Amino acid sequence: MAIDAQRFLVRSTDRAQWLAAREGGVSATTVAEAATPAGFRDVLDKRRNPIDLSPNDYMMFGTESEPALMEFAHREHGILPSDWLIAGEDPRHLATPDGLSVDHTEIAECKTTGKDWKTPPIKYRRQVQWQLAVTGAERCLFLWNLRVPDEHGWFYLAWLEPKSLWIERDEDMISELVGVADRLLSIEGGDDD
């Protein structure tokens, strides 16, 4: 079940091209936010009136911490780090999972958080389901580590190893998210007001 090579669009390390390739499509973050009525309105507004997407300190720390989390994913589960923007069967459906198994049946998603979770928040579960839909993978290793500030305001990871759990495909949630994404795309395309 390998993803066709043409669906690997651009690496996120080439930020300008990565952002450009995402224009006109729907990413995991976007569809997760748009899954509620208020979120849908917010997403439409942001897409019509783009805001500055410069990384903040929290985003930078998450990006800098990702290799440590993915080292665990690779060592324990054989999932390799990935920074590729991948297009789905519908090329406007896009995702950048943090990890991908060699056979493309598993992905990984990494987060740093200021508060520990028993289960990942719904917005992250939606992101994962979208990534599973786009890649066609069967399940996702979701990893997280606690972000703690020191006395100078610098962040560090609280645990030696991340917490993790498997999230299986949820076809009902995927179907709902595809509907949200397609509705966003149809409104932007002028099919709906």
Side-chain angles (χ1 to χ4, degrees):
M1 185 241 72
I3 301 168
D4 187 274
Q6 294 176 339
R7 290 175 44 202
F8 289 84
L9 304 180
V10 63
R11 296 177 67 186
S12 64
T13 49
D14 187 347
R15 186 156 175 84
Q17 284 192 8
W18 181 75
L19 289 171
R22 289 166 38 116
E23 287 182 19
V26 177
S27 69
T29 303
T30 300
V31 78
E33 185 179 346
T36 66
F40 193 89
R41 288 189 300 273
D42 290 346
V43 165
L44 278 179
D45 185 53
K46 286 179 193 171
R47 288 165 78 96
R48 290 175 178 152
N49 305 297
I51 58 172
D52 181 20
L53 293 176
S54 298
N56 60 37
D57 290 345
Y58 300 100
M59 293 166 63
M60 293 292 293
F61 181 76
T63 300
E64 292 165 359
S65 301
E66 195 171 294
L69 278 69
M70 282 308 304
E71 191 278 327
F72 175 86
H74 182 243
R75 183 180 72 241
E76 297 296 320
H77 302 284
I79 299 174
L80 299 167
S82 176
D83 64 353
W84 282 95
L85 177 64
I86 301 170
E89 294 295 330
D90 179 328
R92 301 169 303 169
H93 294 178
L94 306 168
T96 309
D98 295 327
L100 187 62
S101 65
V102 173
D103 64 1
H104 301 172
T105 61
E106 298 172 338
I107 60 172
E109 181 63 17
C110 303
K111 300 292 181 192
T112 56
T113 175
K115 180 174 122 176
D116 191 13
W117 305 314
K118 290 185 187 206
T119 60
I122 186 66
K123 70 179 179 178
Y124 296 139
R125 294 195 311 268
R126 287 178 178 133
Q127 283 182 2
V128 163
Q129 292 302 325
W130 184 254
Q131 291 174 351
L132 291 169
V134 168
T135 62
E138 298 166 8
R139 64 184 187 159
C140 175
L141 180 67
F142 188 89
L143 308 106
W144 71 98
N145 204 322
L146 193 62
R147 176 187 65 241
V148 179
D150 68 13
E151 65 275 7
H152 305 290
W154 294 90
F155 296 127
Y156 64 92
L157 294 173
W159 310 315
L160 294 177
E161 292 188 337
K163 293 186 179 182
S164 65
L165 55 81
W166 287 102
I167 299 176
E168 303 292 330
R169 283 180 74 96
D170 179 338
E171 297 299 340
D172 291 336
M173 185 181 286
I174 287 172
S175 179
E176 290 173 18
L177 295 172
V178 168
V180 168
D182 290 345
R183 184 168 169 236
L184 267 176
L185 293 165
S186 71
I187 289 171
E188 291 175 343
D191 299 339
D192 192 356
D193 284 317

